[in-house]
Amino acid sequence: MGMNPGIGIRLTAITAAAISLTACTAAEQPTPQTSSSEFGLLGADGCSPPSPIVGSEVQATTSPGITAYGLLFTASPTSLPGDGTTIKMVVRMTGVGFIAGHLVSPDGRERPLDWGPELHGDSTYRRPGAEWGIGFSFDEVGCWQLRLDGGHSDNATFWFEIGDHR
């Protein structure tokens, strides 16, 4: 028994449409390596690249619909110390609820924050979202991640490449 030629044409058209829709969906979800921001390429796993820093401000890689910016209080934001010195950062993150902070060392172990996250009141730092204060320190060279988890699936990750600055 042969196949009706009209069915073959319709199946080909349906398959082509499904492939086309899949390609569009994949293109709408850029990977962090190709995502750019007003600061440049966003940070990605393994600090390839690290989170972009302009002046004292750093931009996080976030879940869809979320923004997160940090203001670093340190002598040289583009050359962060890896000697255990506490770094203060004020973060503005959109989303809802409280956030939990996780500092992950280059070897993948979670390290405690020095303090925070602490919810702040009004300030002069003008970015969208609630403002949080966080203290953390790096005690070895390599790629560190500071991950902030909010309610639902709201999250942000700051990637910091710490070099040997001795």
Side-chain angles (χ1 to χ4, degrees), residues 70-87:
L71 192 58
L72 294 162
F73 291 85
T74 184
S76 180
T78 57
S79 183
L80 297 171
D83 62 1
T85 301
T86 296
I87 299 166

Side-chain angles (χ1 to χ4, degrees), residues 15-37:
T15 302
I19 291 170
S20 175
L21 286 174
T22 301
C24 288
T25 302
E28 293 170 353
Q29 299 296 325
T31 61
Q33 292 85 348
T34 60
S35 296
S36 63
S37 70

Side-chain angles (χ1 to χ4, degrees), residues 32-87:
Q33 292 85 348
T34 60
S35 296
S36 63
S37 70
E38 65 185 277
F39 287 10
L41 290 178
L42 293 174
D45 191 25
C47 291
S48 291
S51 294
I53 299 174
V54 175
S56 294
E57 195 172 25
V58 59
Q59 185 174 6
T61 303
T62 62
S63 53
I66 302 298
T67 63
Y69 293 88
L71 192 58
L72 294 162
F73 291 85
T74 184
S76 180
T78 57
S79 183
L80 297 171
D83 62 1
T85 301
T86 296
I87 299 166

Side-chain angles (χ1 to χ4, degrees), residues 58-148:
V58 59
Q59 185 174 6
T61 303
T62 62
S63 53
I66 302 298
T67 63
Y69 293 88
L71 192 58
L72 294 162
F73 291 85
T74 184
S76 180
T78 57
S79 183
L80 297 171
D83 62 1
T85 301
T86 296
I87 299 166
K88 176 184 176 182
M89 184 165 77
V90 171
V91 174
R92 286 274 186 165
M93 182 173 164
T94 59
V96 296
F98 286 93
I99 62 171
H102 307 276
L103 183 64
V104 181
S105 68
D107 65 7
R109 290 182 296 135
E110 188 164 334
R111 302 281 187 87
L113 296 172
D114 293 349
W115 52 269
E118 297 173 350
L119 185 60
H120 286 183
D122 193 36
S123 81
T124 58
Y125 186 35
R126 298 293 175 221
R127 287 287 184 180
E131 183 174 295
W132 303 87
I134 301 169
F136 52 92
S137 53
F138 307 119
D139 61 3
E140 63 182 278
V141 299
C143 180
W144 289 76
Q145 65 173 296
L146 174 61
R147 192 179 69 246
L148 304 176

